[in-house]
């Protein structure tokens, strides 16, 4: 398996623009997580899904953030409108529930100017 | 509620010296415990995990961690530091359900 795949790896956009981050989890993993990492706040859990259903979105910072998982092999995290304070590295991760081991993608580095 | 505390946001050791990264957890049930490593510009990789088998867990790259229930600790050690060990290390806890809670991380610096 290729591991968790995220795209794009880098995104630079201007304030007010819509940003969409994409994730493909490892096949067979039925949990998917979105994290945000910054120097100031460290690694924050934004939202996670089980079998494509959102379970806990309490970490989503504002209504500007939304996440979907239309099927078991794809998820998106959307920010609309984006703001400079959204600049961070966004990670997607999926879990092999049998061994409770979380696998991370390489991340998307988002810069909002 | 479960939580993880990592003592020291930055730790510096000399090359060849002992590495000790501290982690204390809080959990209402016997936990699963993890150490992850993050190299610059990369995602997190699993170093090792404790799942209620042996209390001394050996991981990749010569790292190991010992689960001490009486101290609620899961400290990470390596006998001899190498320059390539410079990275950020995250301790994490899970109550065997779906969510893993991460600590704030400890950045390890290796001095030549």
């Amino acid at each position: 398996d290729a591991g968790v795949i995220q795209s794009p790896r880098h995104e630079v956009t201007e304030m007010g623009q819509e940003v969409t981050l994409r994730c493909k989890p490892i096949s067979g993993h039925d949990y998917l997580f979105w994290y945000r990492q910054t120097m100031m706040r460290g690694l924050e859990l934004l939202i996670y899904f089980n079998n494509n259903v959102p379970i806990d979105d309490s970490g989503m910072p504002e209504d500007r953030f939304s996440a979907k998982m239309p099927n078991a092999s794809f998820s998106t995290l959307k920010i609309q409108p984006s703001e400079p304070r959204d600049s961070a590295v966004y990670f997607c991760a999926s879990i092999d529930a049998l061994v409770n081991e979380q696998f991370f993608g390489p991340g998307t580095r988002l810069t909002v100017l | 509620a479960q939580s993880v505390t990592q003592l020291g946001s930055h730790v510096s050791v000399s090359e060849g010296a002992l590495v000790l990264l501290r982690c204390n957890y809080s959990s209402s049930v016997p936990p699963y415990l993890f150490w992850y490593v993050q190299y610059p510009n990369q995602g997190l990789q699993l170093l090792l995990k404790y799942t209620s088998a042996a209390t001394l867990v050996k991981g990749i790259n010569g790292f190991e961690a010992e689960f001490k229930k009486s101290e609620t600790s899961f400290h990470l050690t390596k006998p001899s530091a190498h320059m390539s060990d410079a990275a950020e290390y995250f301790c994490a806890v899970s109550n065997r359900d779906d969510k893993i809670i991460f600590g704030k991380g400890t950045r390890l610096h290796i001095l030549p």
Side-chain angles (χ1 to χ4, degrees):
Chain A
D1 202 313
V4 177
I5 299 173
Q6 290 187 247
S7 65
R9 292 294 309 276
H10 301 271
E11 176 80 31
V12 179
T13 190
E14 292 187 346
M15 183 174 63
Q17 296 298 306
E18 177 180 298
V19 174
T20 300
L21 310 181
R22 296 173 176 80
C23 175
K24 175 178 168 52
I26 293 173
S27 177
H29 288 191
D30 51 8
Y31 285 89
L32 183 141
F33 299 75
W34 282 101
Y35 292 89
R36 178 172 68 177
Q37 187 177 38
T38 62
M39 291 290 290
M40 293 296 295
R41 295 186 297 271
L43 193 65
E44 303 172 277
L45 175 63
L46 300 178
I47 185 172
Y48 75 97
F49 296 83
N50 177 218
N51 292 323
N52 315 335
V53 176
I55 303 300
D56 183 352
D57 66 354
S58 59
M60 296 286 262
E62 299 172 34
D63 291 345
R64 298 184 296 107
F65 285 70
S66 62
K68 294 182 179 179
M69 191 164 186
N71 57 62
S73 60
F74 183 66
S75 177
T76 59
L77 178 67
K78 186 176 293 186
I79 308 172
Q80 166 63 21
S82 58
E83 297 182 3
R85 59 195 169 117
D86 301 331
S87 298
V89 181
Y90 291 81
F91 289 102
C92 176
S94 64
I95 275 188
D96 180 343
L98 290 178
V99 295
N100 203 301
E101 184 172 325
Q102 199 163 95
F103 292 82
F104 281 77
T108 295
R109 183 174 296 277
L110 173 64
T111 303
V112 183
L113 303 173
Chain B
Q2 49 189 326
S3 65
V4 168
T5 302
Q6 292 185 241
L7 300 177
S9 57
H10 293 266
V11 170
S12 296
V13 301
S14 298
E15 191 173 18
L18 171 72
V19 175
L20 171 61
L21 304 182
R22 300 177 187 273
C23 172
N24 288 90
Y25 70 91
S26 172
S27 177
S28 57
V29 299
Y32 285 165
L33 293 161
F34 309 82
W35 276 99
Y36 282 81
V37 61
Q38 184 180 29
Y39 297 103
N41 301 313
Q42 295 186 26
L44 279 69
Q45 302 172 34
L46 183 67
L47 262 182
L48 51 80
K49 63 180 178 182
Y50 165 78
T51 57
S52 78
T55 56
L56 182 62
V57 182
K58 294 187 184 299
I60 61 173
N61 301 337
F63 284 92
E64 61 183 37
E66 186 172 7
F67 172 68
K68 292 188 176 180
K69 184 178 178 180
S70 61
E71 299 177 7
T72 61
S73 69
F74 191 58
H75 301 332
L76 181 70
T77 61
K78 181 174 180 178
S80 177
H82 191 273
M83 295 300 290
S84 60
D85 295 327
E88 188 152 18
Y89 293 80
F90 293 88
C91 183
V93 63
S94 167
N95 277 351
R96 304 168 185 236
D97 53 10
D98 44 15
K99 200 159 57 174
I100 295 178
I101 305 298
F102 287 87
K104 293 190 179 298
T106 297
R107 187 167 296 277
L108 177 63
H109 305 271
I110 308 298
L111 307 174

